[in-house]
Amino acid sequence: MNSTFGNLGVTLAVTASLAGFVTSAVGLMRRRPQLVRFGPVFARMVLVGAIVAAIAMERAIITRDFSLAYVAKVGSTKTPALYNFAAMWSALQGSILLWGLVLAGYTVAVVRRFRKRLGDPLVAWALTVMLGVCTFFFLLMAGPANPFLRLAVPASEGTGPNPLLQNHILVAFHPPILYLGYVGFTVPFAFAIAALITGRVGEGWLLETRRWTLFAWGLLTLGIVLGAWWSYEVVGWNGFWGWDAVENASFLPWLTATAFIHSVLVQERRGMLRVWNLSLLCATFSLTILGTFLTRSGVVESVHAFSGGSIGPWLLTFFGITVALALGLMAWRGDRLRSPGAFDSPLSREGAFLINNLLFALFAFVVLLGTVFPLIIEATQNKRVAVGRPFFDAMTMPIGLALLTMMAIAPVLPWRKASTELLRDRLFWPAWCGVGALALSVVLGGSGVAALVAFTLGGFAAGAAGRQLVLATRRQGLRGLVGRANGGMVVHIGVILVAVGLAASQSYARTSDVSLKPGESTVFGGHTIVYVGKDVVETKQSRAERARVTIDGVEYAPAQVLFNSNGQIVPRPSVRTRPWGDVYLSLAKPVAADGTANLQIVLNPLIMWLWIGGLVMGFGTVLAMFPGRKRRLATDAASAPIPEPRPHAEPDPVLA
């Protein structure tokens, strides 16, 4: 029954998406509005099919229907309810199903948002592109990534999800939020392609997609931060980011999307960087497809990656088609993409944004190079090479510091041109904030050039953001925080908190490996550590051997956990978080027969501010999604249909 309903849902979704794509495309190309009107109907049918398939899969997992190969792989009677529910996206086929469900939801959301303008060719082409993307992903589910394949002989028990995916509550939130961000970039990509197809490449289409882009970017940001937090508290390696290929796969579209969010302001205000912005949006979507390939094709080994399947060539082909389509359309519309504006001075806000974008592009190139270089060498020379953390740290640290500098300077610059006197006046207090941050760091014992430079630039950038927020709240009260500019400053403060937490935890963390017998103690970093003894906690799911340790009278319980379903042992660290730093305790291996526990103790200063900074970034994104008082009139005007340009007309006027 589950298999029948699931396959029925997938069949409905793939049929509706393909029919909607073909019908809408033919109707638009032949100017037959009666065909175009079927697009929204097919989009709703796609969502219905996706929901039916997702419900069928969840029902199969919850009822332990081990006649399905996927349920036998990720389900188990011993898995707790929360992790059993999350098992749907814990392996390849289910993750593609979640992707399709989210994509179908976004497609219907576009239909709902533009329900009064579905006859507008720009909106109709955007919906057609989204239906085309839906077609690809549901074809995957109907073919090489079918989650509803049945076993010839039903299994009596499943193996359950990967133990690392049933060890922390964040597994129920991190992947869906990450997917909402990842898949959300399909919407601005679809409008960018629609703008190129219709020739309406002015600033109008940007207004249609600004909030969609911010929404996707904010969710991707939150998903990345939650993933780092999960890694820190689950994997047991005392880290949150290892430049893993799969981690990089989510970071790459975040970098290009961040660049777009900045440079789109230049196009809206000055009509410049049209090709650049279209390229960034197309690159962001293409990188989500490339990231999906890295995550789900089995070409990389990672604790995050799913086992290899047969969808790798499909994803790589779709990636190539996407890139070729975007480049071909931009070449076709080259004459319309000429910008009516020009840079008046490099010492201006648009000049700062251009430098900012070049830095983000360089950052993305470095990460992409380090990620795919080993794959290229293996494919061309049949040998394995590794590009590890030293490469990424050495190459990205200067770029990160340069970006912090631009975060301080760009917000105080006016458009077109700034005088040195104006720049000096506006940077006076931010500069003193940077000096104060440096002095405070030194007083608190900070050392090391890189860390102190990061703290100084963080204070400098925080001063610039704080200056703008203070001016806004003086003029308008707390309502002044609402809007793209000031919401962006709140996001900047979140980024600064992340940068400070990153610099402190990477520069000043201290580690000690000790072996203690019951009753023995040691002192490390001013903390008294006493090993009390071990105990065992057994559940249907696992058997946890815990070391009971007190640090300054507070009990910790790091463990080695044996999962019954597959016999795998994974570490479970014990962490106490404080605003000034974490005490991170892990059990390196099972307690010895004589009772000796091999413990790793790590003191991580200020790491809590990484997670707080991520939440502040999310809050700032929400503020930026709502129009400020000065932009409400422009927003209302933008809701009207955008006229198509006349043949040989000048490019769309720049919106103020």
Side-chain angles (χ1 to χ4, degrees):
M1 177 178 172
N2 293 316
S3 176
T4 301
F5 276 103
N7 281 315
L8 185 63
V10 171
T11 301
L12 174 62
V14 72
T15 303
S17 58
L18 180 58
F21 172 71
V22 173
T23 302
S24 297
V26 170
L28 286 163
M29 288 187 291
R30 297 187 177 181
R31 301 185 182 276
R32 298 175 64 180
Q34 66 273 23
L35 292 180
V36 176
R37 283 195 290 270
F38 283 107
V41 177
F42 284 121
R44 295 186 181 96
M45 292 173 63
V46 173
L47 180 59
V48 170
I51 291 174
V52 169
I55 291 175
M57 177 52 66
E58 283 292 3
R59 184 181 185 277
I61 293 173
I62 292 171
T63 59
R64 273 78 173 186
D65 182 0
F66 296 125
S67 66
L68 294 184
Y70 187 74
V71 178
K73 179 180 180 181
V74 303
S76 173
T77 58
K78 300 173 183 178
T79 304
L82 174 66
Y83 302 114
N84 198 52
F85 176 81
M88 189 185 92
W89 50 80
S90 65
L92 173 63
Q93 292 85 352
S95 71
I96 298 296
L97 177 55
L98 177 62
W99 187 294
L101 176 64
V102 173
L103 179 58
Y106 272 116
T107 305
V108 172
V110 168
V111 170
R112 174 69 179 171
R113 169 64 180 82
F114 298 101
R115 59 191 178 278
K116 296 181 181 179
R117 296 181 48 201
L118 293 172
D120 183 345
L122 180 72
V123 176
W125 271 113
L127 179 59
T128 303
V129 172
M130 294 192 71
L131 287 169
V133 178
C134 286
T135 300
F136 170 74
F137 278 97
F138 283 103
L139 278 174
L140 285 182
M141 279 178 264
N146 188 347
F148 297 102
L149 293 176
R150 298 178 63 89
L151 293 172
V153 179
S156 58
E157 178 60 276
T159 58
N162 185 318
L164 294 174
L165 300 179
Q166 47 180 317
N167 211 17
H168 199 285
I169 192 173
L170 283 179
V171 73
F173 303 100
H174 159 57
I177 291 174
L178 196 67
Y179 280 44
L180 283 167
Y182 237 49
V183 183
F185 288 118
T186 308
V187 179
F189 167 77
F191 272 91
I193 295 297
L196 287 167
I197 292 173
T198 59
R200 293 158 62 176
V201 294
E203 284 57 68
W205 69 274
L206 292 174
L207 299 179
E208 307 295 352
T209 61
R210 182 178 70 82
R211 292 186 185 176
W212 297 91
T213 307
L214 282 174
F215 182 74
W217 181 88
L219 288 170
L220 181 59
T221 301
L222 187 58
I224 290 173
V225 172
L226 290 178
W229 193 3
W230 168 84
S231 180
Y232 178 67
E233 294 207 346
V234 170
V235 182
W237 62 300
N238 174 40
F240 47 85
W241 192 265
W243 295 109
D244 179 279
V246 180
E247 293 171 341
N248 295 347
S250 63
F251 190 45
L252 282 166
W254 184 89
L255 288 169
T256 53
T258 306
F260 170 77
I261 288 171
H262 286 84
S263 64
V264 73
L265 299 174
V266 179
Q267 183 173 346
E268 288 185 15
R269 186 66 179 257
R270 301 290 313 279
M272 300 158 59
L273 303 181
R274 289 180 174 180
V275 175
W276 181 251
N277 285 324
L278 285 166
S279 300
L280 285 174
L281 268 186
C282 294
T284 299
F285 177 76
S286 299
L287 286 171
T288 65
I289 303 302
L290 180 63
T292 309
F293 166 75
L294 293 173
T295 309
R296 290 161 181 81
S297 64
V299 298
V300 297
E301 295 180 1
S302 165
V303 297
H304 307 277
F306 298 127
S307 58
S310 58
I311 69 170
W314 288 61
L315 289 167
L316 209 54
T317 300
F318 187 60
F319 170 76
I321 292 172
T322 300
V323 173
L325 175 65
L327 293 177
L329 286 173
M330 281 189 280
W332 179 43
R333 293 297 188 187
D335 58 330
R336 291 184 180 233
L337 290 172
R338 288 193 295 269
S339 298
F343 283 98
D344 296 322
S345 168
L347 197 62
S348 61
R349 185 166 295 190
E350 54 266 43
F353 280 158
L354 178 60
I355 296 172
N356 181 80
N357 265 237
L358 293 174
L359 289 171
F360 273 116
L362 179 60
F363 205 139
F365 174 76
V366 168
V367 175
L368 181 62
L369 177 64
T371 303
V372 303
F373 181 75
L375 304 180
I376 295 173
I377 293 299
E378 184 174 356
T380 57
Q381 301 182 19
N382 197 28
K383 65 179 181 179
R384 293 202 169 196
V385 298
V387 177
R389 183 165 187 163
F391 167 82
F392 289 105
D393 286 348
M395 296 296 292
T396 60
M397 184 184 298
I399 303 174
L401 295 177
L403 285 170
L404 276 176
T405 305
M406 296 309 302
M407 283 175 58
I409 297 174
V412 306
L413 288 171
W415 295 98
R416 295 187 180 275
K417 188 175 182 180
S419 65
T420 54
E421 293 79 8
L422 177 68
L423 191 60
R424 183 184 63 239
D425 291 342
R426 291 185 176 183
L427 287 177
F428 179 79
W429 287 113
W432 274 110
C433 289
V435 173
L438 174 61
L440 180 62
S441 302
V442 173
V443 168
L444 294 177
S447 60
V449 174
L452 292 178
V453 169
F455 297 148
T456 303
L457 293 176
F460 188 26
R467 173 187 175 277
Q468 179 161 327
L469 293 176
V470 167
L471 293 175
T473 52
R474 278 182 180 177
R475 290 191 298 263
Q476 304 177 35
L478 292 178
R479 290 179 301 175
L481 297 178
V482 178
R484 179 165 49 181
N486 297 321
M489 291 302 100
V490 175
V491 172
H492 279 195
I493 290 174
V495 173
I496 293 162
L497 292 176
V498 171
V500 169
L502 182 64
S505 62
Q506 295 298 298
S507 300
Y508 306 128
R510 290 186 289 171
T511 304
S512 177
D513 296 306
V514 298
S515 297
L516 299 175
K517 292 184 177 180
E520 291 184 342
S521 64
T522 187
V523 176
F524 175 62
H527 298 277
T528 301
I529 299 103
V530 180
Y531 174 43
V532 178
K534 78 166 185 176
D535 61 16
V536 176
V537 177
E538 294 196 50
T539 65
K540 288 196 308 179
Q541 175 197 25
S542 62
R543 180 180 186 275
E545 186 178 87
R546 306 190 309 173
R548 295 177 55 209
V549 180
T550 62
I551 301 180
D552 299 332
V554 178
E555 183 165 306
Y556 291 68
Q560 290 276 322
V561 184
L562 171 66
F563 283 84
N564 299 326
S565 58
N566 58 14
Q568 186 175 346
I569 297 176
V570 298
R572 179 181 293 165
S574 183
V575 187
R576 288 291 188 275
T577 298
R578 299 291 185 272
W580 51 87
D582 286 11
V583 177
Y584 187 102
L585 192 63
S586 59
L587 187 61
K589 57 184 179 181
V591 177
D594 63 355
T596 300
N598 296 284
L599 303 170
Q600 183 181 67
I601 309 158
V602 184
L603 306 180
N604 274 328
L606 302 183
I607 198 169
M608 176 181 181
W609 296 97
L610 283 168
W611 328 131
I612 294 176
L615 294 177
V616 172
M617 291 170 70
F619 177 64
T621 304
V622 173
L623 293 177
M625 289 180 65
F626 292 94
R629 293 177 62 184
K630 292 182 179 179
R631 291 195 173 266
R632 284 175 189 161
L633 183 60
T635 303
D636 293 338
S639 63
I642 302 169
E644 293 190 59
R646 299 183 303 275
H648 308 296
E650 293 298 318
D652 296 353
V654 178
L655 298 179

